Amino acid sequence: MYERNQVIRQFESTIAKYCNAPYGVAVESCSAALFLCCLYLKVKEVQIPKHTYHGVPCAIINAGGSVKFNNHSWKGSYSLHPYPIIDSAIRFKKDMYVPDTYLCLSFQYSKHIPIGRGGMILTNNKKARDWFRLMRADGRKEVPNSKDKVKLIGYNMYMIPEQAARGLSLFYW
């Protein structure tokens, strides 16, 4: 594996294990995590609580979906109904992963692991994990440029190694 990605993989593995998820994919923010999940599942109409962070409907719409707000009250996390996507930006607990979902976390400065900016997708779907990894890095594999053969167009949504290292430090602190 490309050296600069080792600390990111370690952070992904540590958080996934703590949450009891097989895989974690670190990205630049929870909004980016939600966007990639919506894009992967090709969402259409998505129902979300009307009292949520404004980046959530933006992620849905930017991924090609439409939003229907509901009066659902929530605490800590909620699903993007009817899809298996969970916005857990403000909840972070041991063994919290829900099987067969795409659980999205936030590491923004006011959250449980306040690295400043960052998010993660927890999943048990290896195919999705591999797709998210490509999409977060402009459609590129995690190899030096000289060895890469780009296969699709992605987004610049990766977590930088310094943030992952800070996340590990704060997690163990």
Side-chain angles (χ1 to χ4, degrees), residues 11 26-32 53 105-111 113-120 156-160 162-164 166-167:
F11 183 57
V27 293
E28 69 175 359
S29 67
C30 187
S31 295
Y53 177 65
L105 302 173
S106 176
F107 303 114
Q108 187 253 3
Y109 69 88
S110 68
K111 304 299 172 48
I113 300 178
I115 64 174
R117 186 167 171 81
M120 190 173 293
N156 188 332
M157 296 180 165
Y158 59 90
M159 177 181 282
I160 62 172
E162 293 82 1
Q163 288 174 310
R166 179 167 168 73

Side-chain angles (χ1 to χ4, degrees), residues 30 34 47-49 51-53 56 70 72-81 83-93 95-98 101-106 111-112 122:
C30 187
L34 291 165
Q47 295 178 34
I48 57 172
H51 296 291
T52 188
Y53 177 65
V56 179
N70 60 40
H72 176 74
S73 63
W74 61 279
K75 186 175 180 178
S77 66
Y78 62 89
S79 65
L80 280 64
H81 186 74
Y83 298 93
I85 302 168
I86 299 174
D87 178 358
S88 189
I90 62 173
R91 175 175 286 154
F92 182 72
K93 295 183 178 195
D95 299 325
M96 68 184 281
Y97 178 68
V98 178
T101 67
Y102 302 95
L103 195 143
C104 300
L105 302 173
S106 176
K111 304 299 172 48
H112 292 88
L122 300 177

Side-chain angles (χ1 to χ4, degrees), residues 121-140:
I121 303 165
L122 300 177
T123 184
N124 59 356
N125 182 329
K126 184 181 184 306
K127 181 179 173 187
R129 181 210 58 188
D130 294 345
W131 188 86
F132 293 141
R133 283 183 175 169
L134 284 171
M135 293 305 284
R136 74 175 173 193
D138 299 315
R140 299 182 55 246

